[in-house]
Amino acid sequence: MAVAGVIAEYNPFHKGHAWQLTQLRRVLGADTTVVACMSGNFVQRGSFAIMNAHARAEAALHGGVDLVLELPTPWATAGAERFAQGGAAVLAATGVVTHLAFGCECAALAPLRQAAESLGDPAYPAGLRRFLGQGMTFAAARQAAVHMLAGDAADCLSQPNNLLAVEYLRALKSQGSPIIPLALPRVGAAHDSETASPYPSASAIRRMLLEGDGWQNVLPQPTSAIVSREIQAGRAPVQMETCQRALLFQLRRMSEIDFLPYDGGNEGLYRRFYAAVHAGHTLDGILALAKTKRYPLSRLRRMLLQSCLGVPQAAQGETPPYLRVLAANERGRALLGQMRKTAALPVITKPGHIRRLSKEAQRVFDQEARCGDLYALAYPDLGQAVPERGYTVSPVML
């Protein structure tokens, strides 16, 4: 029986992802078990998740996933390369996942593989530097450098889900993983699109939730019920701006050199970011001041979030040191039984399991729990921001 994994971009609010799960089981078989490695309370776009990790994981079960594992913050809030290396490593460490399924615009492995190979070609760095030197943005320079090596296959790098797919392929190869990649067509509105669609983007749904209107008509009924429950409890919708003054306080107390660990490219961006922090008076204002043709908004959002949390992105080659279960249904619990024999990392299903972790794994978990405490401060009802929940909350079991 196939066990398919989907990495952290899986979104229980996105009808297109539910459609992809249907397609996945059509390809691999109706009895395919699906494992999702999902971002926790902070997401790759450089923001607070609209709803907390356990509630989103519960919605994922209703959407067709059987087992949800957490991708810790150092990987979940990183650029595509580190994001992919963390997610692929989590799925491989289960010892049971046979396929890695992902939605992408081109829905074909051949050009993605060619692009992935080119990014690892010894000639690629020189080409990238050449085009950056001509004043191109990083994205355009990367595509141009790959085009020199792979021709039209480089065209796939112009679309965001293709980019992630390429990084998944690179991660599987670098980790020597036996997991088989499976490319599925992406349907629905374009990434970050705000336009109406039968499959609206996650950004459009997020806007509806924040505005308090329209989301009831686009979410599946079980997910809608969970969202309603969280809203009534005062735990949703969550947005970064709720904590704006506290985050600005944290940023302004940092010296210029304090921003260096969050630079990512060691290009001196931390100096520009420090200047923006001391010239802007809102989070959006800081991002606008720091943005240039070379530094896209997505990278700056991640840098801002990482700086506020005090959590740099994971280092090259670094992978999560444990498998934390957020939610499981009956089929997922059966898979957990198998993982007791196959998992290469400790599996956390109860708060008590935290005490058995290695010192390094304990450090990462402690950091994740602290980030969870900070996330809760953005709940609409501050009375719900109970600290230390990372050490006490159990997985959702359906």
Side-chain angles (χ1 to χ4, degrees), residues 253-319:
R253 67 192 295 269
M254 295 171 68
S255 68
E256 184 180 77
I257 199 67
D258 288 336
F259 288 100
L260 180 58
Y262 312 103
D263 189 319
N266 296 319
E267 302 166 332
L269 172 58
Y270 72 97
R271 295 190 180 94
R272 182 178 183 85
F273 200 84
Y274 173 80
V277 164
H278 287 269
H281 60 275
T282 66
L283 298 177
D284 284 343
I286 290 170
L287 293 173
L289 289 167
K291 186 179 182 300
T292 68
K293 185 177 180 181
R294 182 157 186 173
Y295 303 125
L297 194 57
S298 56
R299 178 176 174 183
L300 294 170
R301 279 200 304 249
R302 288 192 290 269
M303 185 174 180
L304 187 148
L305 178 61
Q306 292 161 8
S307 301
C308 290
L309 296 176
V311 180
Q313 72 171 2
Q316 176 68 44
E318 185 182 11
T319 55

Side-chain angles (χ1 to χ4, degrees), residues 78-139:
E81 181 183 357
R82 311 295 167 81
F83 178 90
Q85 82 183 25
V90 164
L91 295 177
T94 65
V96 295
V97 172
T98 58
H99 293 73
L100 168 55
F102 45 82
C104 53
E105 290 86 356
C106 71
L109 280 175
L112 299 174
R113 287 190 191 277
Q114 287 180 270
E117 290 294 330
S118 297
L119 289 171
D121 191 296
Y124 167 74
L128 178 66
R129 287 193 298 271
R130 172 187 162 192
F131 291 112
L132 286 173
Q134 295 175 8
M136 287 187 178
T137 65
F138 176 81

Side-chain angles (χ1 to χ4, degrees), residues 19 21 33 38 61 67 107 141 172 184 201 207 265 285 292 302 308 326 355 397:
W19 182 86
L21 293 185
T33 302
M38 194 178 77
L61 296 185
L67 175 64
L172 292 176
L184 298 170
S201 71
R207 175 184 54 77
T292 68
R302 288 192 290 269
C308 290
L326 294 177
R355 294 192 297 270
M397 295 291 178

Side-chain angles (χ1 to χ4, degrees), residues 106 108-121 124 142-143 145-147 149-158 162-163 165-167 169-170:
C106 71
L109 280 175
L112 299 174
R113 287 190 191 277
Q114 287 180 270
E117 290 294 330
S118 297
L119 289 171
D121 191 296
Y124 167 74
R142 174 181 53 199
Q143 186 171 342
V146 170
H147 193 275
L149 300 167
D152 291 345
D155 293 347
C156 71
L157 296 177
S158 65
N162 286 343
L163 274 172
V166 166
E167 293 300 341
L169 295 177
R170 295 182 70 203

